[in-house]
Amino acid sequence: MLKYFKYLSLIATLIVTPVLADSVLIIDAQYDQVTNNVKGRLEAAGHTVTVTTNLASIPTVTTTYQQVWDLRYAAALTAGEQTAYQTYVTNGGFAYFVTENPGCCQSRNNSVAALITALGGGTTTIGANSAMTNNVSSNVNTTYMTAGITVNYAAVSAIVNSQGIPLISDGAGAVSGMSWIGRAGALGQSVTGTIVTVADTNWLDQTRFNTSGTTAQQQNVTALDDIIRGIVAGTVAGTISSSGNGAGATNGGGNQAPTIVSTAAGTPKVTSSNANGTVTTSSTSTRGTTVNVSNVTTAPTVYVATARDAAVKNAKTIDVTRTTTVVGTTPRTTVVTSTTPVTTVTTNTTPVTTTTITTPVTVTNYSDGSTTSTDGTPVTTTSTTNTNTQTSSTTNEVVTTTVRDNIVQSASSDQKASVSAVGLKEALAITRFNPYIVDPLSTKDGAWAEPSMGYAKATGSFRTSALNFGTQKTIDENTFGIAGTISKTNSHEFLNSQAQADTYGATAYILSKQTDIWVKGSIGFNVSDYQTTTALPIFALANSNKVKVKNYYADMTLYSPIEYFGIRPLIGVAVTNSVIDYKSESGSSLLSTLPQDDKIFEARPYAGARFDFDKNIGIETRVTQSKDFKTVGQVRLTAKQEIFESIFFNVQAGFDKSSNYTAAVGMVGLKWTF
C-alpha cells in the first residue's frame, strides 16, 4: 500500500504544478517537415513559437526566449553564434541543436561540440560513426524520458562524451541523443541552462514522426514530447536535477508516478484431491480390439505437373507468381491380416471422485515495469470417473482381406518475377505535361525548321527526338505564328517493359505587346500512337498494347510590360484535355498496363520571370503545379546568332525538376528561316 500512496502523492504534485507557457525561438533550416513538426509539438504544450532565419535573433538572456531550437543541420556555428549561445545557456536558457552524420555535416558537428566543451561539458565528439545499429535506439534514460519507447532514425551518428547525460542509445551502448544539464552538474559550475542534441534531423520528418501514424512514428513523437514537457520544462522551472525533471515537468517520463499499462488474467491457482468409492466386480465375454498386420506392394509412381499464374498489380510493378504443383500417384496393393481376440473379461470398477478448487488471479502491469497480482473468489468443482482393472482369457479370430488403392503425394513451389506497371502511364503523363508551345519572344519572323532532343526521368527514363517547324509574322506589336512537330519517344530503364510513341502536333499562337500588359496565347493539339510491351520470358508471358491519344491544350501567359532590374515577371495557366481515341492489347492479361481513365482534364497554373540579356539571348523560369509530378520548377534558355542571311546558329535548352520527375530538352544547330 505504501507504493500506491507514493504514486498518489506524485500524481497530486503533478496536478498542482503549473504549466509554463514559454516563449520559443526556432532557427529554421528551411526543412519544412521538421520545422512544422517541432513547432506543432511546442504549441501543443502551450508555448509561443517564433520561427526565423535571422541569426541575429539568437538571445543571450532568457527574458525574451526561454528556449532556442537551432534546427540547422549543415551550417556550422560561427564564433559569434557560439559566444551568444554560451552566454544564453550560462544564464539558464535551454538550447536544442540538430547534429548529423559525418557524411554531410561534420563541420556542424564540430562547432556544436566546441560550444559544449566551452561551457564546461567536457571533451565531445559528434559523428563518431555514420550509422548505428539498424538506425534504431531502443534504450532511453528513464530518469528523464518515458520508459519502453524506441526512437527511429534515417542515418544517425554516435555522440562520445564522458560528462554529458545520455538520453537515447542503442543495444551496443552507442549514444545518439545526449544532454548537458547545468543543474545536474554536467556543465561548468556557474552554468544553469541545458543543451540537448540528437545526431539526426530525419527522426523529426514526416516519414518517422506522426501523431496519428504507426507505433514507431508515435514513439518518436513521445520522445520529442519528453524533451519539451520534461527536460525543457524542468530547466525553465529550475526543478531539473540529476534525479529527474522535477515538479516543473508535465510529461509522463522520469520522476512521474507509474501508471497502469495493462490488466490481464494471470495463471489461476489450482488444487485438487481424489476420493475412491466402493469397488464392484463383474464378468463378461466380449470381442476385443482387432490387430491388423499389413503386407504392402507398390507399382511405379506416375508424376503429373501443373502450373498456375497469379498477378498482383502494385503502384509501380506487376508481380507475377507461378505456382508449380507436381502430383505423384503410386498404385498400392495391401493385404491385411486381421486378428480379433474374443475375450472373457473380469472387470473391477472403482469410482473416483475428484474435487478441484480454482482461484483466478489478476495481474496488473505498471509503466515502471512493476506488477501486482490479486486473487479472486475460489470456484469448487467435482467430477466422478471410474477406474477399471481387468483380467481376461482370449482366443483369436483371423480374417485376410486385399485392398487396392493409390498413394497420392503433391508438392508445390513458387517462382516470382515482376514487370513495370508505369511505363505507358508515365509516357502519357509526360506527353500531357509537355505540349508543343513556341516562344514567340525568342523566335525570328519567317518560316523555320529545327531538330531537337529531349530526356525525361520519372520511374524510368524517356528519350525523344523531334523535328519542329513553323512560320511567324509580326505586325506592329502583334506576333502571329503556327508551328508543327513530329517526334519519336523511346523508354529506358523500366523493369521488363518497353514503350515507344510517335507524336504529331500543331499549335497556333499570338503575342500582343500592349502598354499595360503583354499577352501570349497558344492553342494546339497532338496525336500520339503508343506501343507498349511487357514480358516475362521466364514464364513465357507477354502483353502488347496499342493506345492512340489526342491531347488538346491551351496556354495563356501574362507578362509585365515593365522590367525590374532586367527581370520581367509572368503568370499563366496551361490547360490540357487528354482523350484516348483507341486502345487494344494482345497476350497475357496478367501483364496488362492499359490505362483505366479514357479522359483526363488538367489546369496547371504557373508563375515565373523572364530575363533577356539582349535580343538574341533570353532565359525564362517557371514554377507550375501538376497532378502527375506535383510542384515542378522549369527553366528555358534560348540563344541565337545570325551567321548568314536567314541562317542562325541556334541553341535552345530546358530543364524541369520535381520530387518525382526530371526532364531536359535541347537543340544545338542551324535554324533556317525562309
Side-chain angles (χ1 to χ4, degrees), residues 286-305:
T286 60
R287 294 174 64 85
T289 302
T290 301
V291 177
N292 297 317
V293 177
S294 300
N295 182 20
V296 180
T297 58
T298 59
T301 302
V302 177
Y303 295 95
V304 177

Side-chain angles (χ1 to χ4, degrees), residues 17-20 22 66 92 94 183 192 229-240 245-250:
T17 300
V19 177
L20 296 178
D22 305 331
Q66 290 76 49
F94 171 86
R183 294 182 183 274
T192 58
R229 299 174 182 267
I231 298 171
V232 175
T235 298
V236 175
T239 62
I240 197 167
N245 300 320
T250 61

Side-chain angles (χ1 to χ4, degrees), residues 17-255:
T17 300
V19 177
L20 296 178
D22 305 331
S23 293
V24 184
L25 180 67
I26 292 180
I27 305 299
D28 189 10
Q30 297 183 329
Y31 190 173
D32 291 346
Q33 290 183 12
V34 173
T35 300
N36 292 339
N37 285 338
V38 174
K39 181 175 182 289
R41 297 317 298 163
L42 285 165
E43 290 176 340
H47 302 305
T48 301
V49 181
T50 300
V51 179
T52 184
T53 56
N54 181 11
L55 300 179
S57 299
I58 297 173
T60 57
V61 294
T62 61
T63 54
T64 303
Y65 297 107
Q66 290 76 49
Q67 305 175 42
V68 178
W69 292 71
D70 194 328
L71 301 184
R72 296 174 293 168
Y73 53 86
L77 300 177
T78 65
E81 293 168 14
Q82 292 191 44
T83 299
Y85 277 128
Q86 186 174 349
T87 303
Y88 176 69
V89 175
T90 299
N91 290 332
F94 171 86
Y96 177 95
F97 294 98
V98 168
T99 51
E100 261 292 351
N101 66 76
C104 70
C105 314
Q106 193 55 38
S107 61
R108 168 74 172 184
N109 297 345
N110 292 341
S111 68
V112 174
L115 171 63
I116 292 166
T117 300
L119 281 165
T123 302
T124 306
T125 300
I126 303 173
N129 60 329
S130 61
M132 299 170 69
T133 306
N134 294 326
N135 281 316
V136 172
S137 290
S138 57
N139 297 324
V140 296
N141 186 340
T142 57
T143 301
Y144 298 95
M145 299 184 72
T146 301
I149 63 173
T150 296
V151 181
N152 293 270
Y153 300 106
V156 73
S157 289
I159 303 169
V160 180
N161 180 279
S162 61
Q163 191 168 316
I165 300 172
L167 297 177
I168 309 166
S169 57
D170 67 7
V175 179
S176 57
M178 186 170 283
S179 65
W180 287 264
I181 301 171
R183 294 182 183 274
L187 294 171
Q189 185 173 3
S190 62
V191 180
T192 58
T194 298
I195 288 179
V196 172
T197 184
V198 178
D200 181 47
T201 190
N202 300 100
W203 78 286
L204 298 171
D205 66 22
Q206 210 62 33
T207 300
R208 297 162 189 85
F209 188 101
N210 192 320
T211 57
S212 59
T214 64
T215 298
Q217 290 173 322
Q218 293 187 46
Q219 288 185 339
N220 278 17
V221 174
T222 299
L224 179 60
D225 283 351
D226 284 344
I227 296 173
I228 294 171
R229 299 174 182 267
I231 298 171
V232 175
T235 298
V236 175
T239 62
I240 197 167
S241 68
S242 59
S243 299
N245 300 320
T250 61
N251 67 321
N255 267 355

Side-chain angles (χ1 to χ4, degrees), residues 255-519:
N255 267 355
Q256 304 299 308
T259 58
I260 294 175
V261 175
S262 63
T263 301
T267 303
K269 300 176 181 178
V270 181
T271 60
S272 63
S273 60
N274 297 324
N276 294 336
T278 302
V279 178
T280 60
T281 302
S282 64
S283 296
T284 59
S285 293
T286 60
R287 294 174 64 85
T289 302
T290 301
V291 177
N292 297 317
V293 177
S294 300
N295 182 20
V296 180
T297 58
T298 59
T301 302
V302 177
Y303 295 95
V304 177
T306 59
R308 180 175 60 85
D309 295 331
V312 176
K313 295 189 177 182
N314 302 307
K316 292 189 176 182
T317 61
I318 300 174
D319 301 330
V320 178
T321 301
R322 170 161 288 183
T323 301
T324 302
T325 302
V326 179
V327 178
T329 303
T330 306
R332 175 177 61 182
T333 301
T334 304
V335 178
V336 180
T337 301
S338 301
T339 303
T340 304
V342 179
T343 304
T344 301
V345 178
T346 300
T347 303
N348 294 318
T349 302
T350 303
V352 179
T353 300
T354 302
T355 301
T356 302
I357 300 174
T358 303
T359 303
V361 176
T362 300
V363 177
T364 303
N365 299 302
Y366 294 88
S367 60
D368 62 353
S370 63
T371 61
T372 60
S373 298
T374 305
D375 292 346
T377 303
V379 177
T380 302
T381 60
T382 61
S383 63
T384 301
T385 60
N386 292 323
T387 301
N388 298 321
T389 60
Q390 298 176 335
T391 60
S392 64
S393 59
T394 305
T395 60
N396 292 323
E397 180 182 277
V398 179
V399 177
T400 300
T401 58
T402 301
V403 178
R404 293 178 175 83
D405 60 3
N406 294 316
I407 302 171
V408 179
Q409 297 176 316
S410 65
S412 298
S413 63
D414 290 339
Q415 189 176 11
K416 296 183 178 181
S418 300
V419 300
S420 174
V422 296
L424 176 58
K425 177 182 177 182
E426 291 186 355
L428 294 171
I430 289 171
T431 301
R432 286 195 303 270
F433 187 73
N434 294 281
Y436 181 57
I437 296 175
V438 177
D439 179 11
L441 289 170
S442 302
T443 302
K444 296 286 290 183
D445 282 0
W448 50 269
E450 64 179 1
S452 66
M453 302 292 289
Y455 171 84
K457 172 75 174 176
T459 302
S461 64
F462 297 88
R463 297 171 187 171
T464 301
S465 57
L467 176 63
N468 309 316
F469 51 88
T471 182
Q472 178 174 300
K473 178 70 173 180
T474 299
I475 302 173
D476 295 331
E477 293 299 326
N478 299 301
T479 299
F480 305 89
I482 57 172
T485 182
I486 303 172
S487 66
K488 188 173 187 63
T489 301
N490 291 286
S491 71
H492 299 270
E493 304 171 5
F494 285 98
L495 179 63
N496 293 319
S497 175
Q498 292 183 338
Q500 64 181 29
D502 294 318
T503 300
Y504 309 89
T507 184
Y509 58 90
I510 182 173
L511 171 64
S512 179
K513 296 181 180 180
Q514 302 300 317
T515 303
D516 296 329
I517 195 167
W518 290 8
V519 180

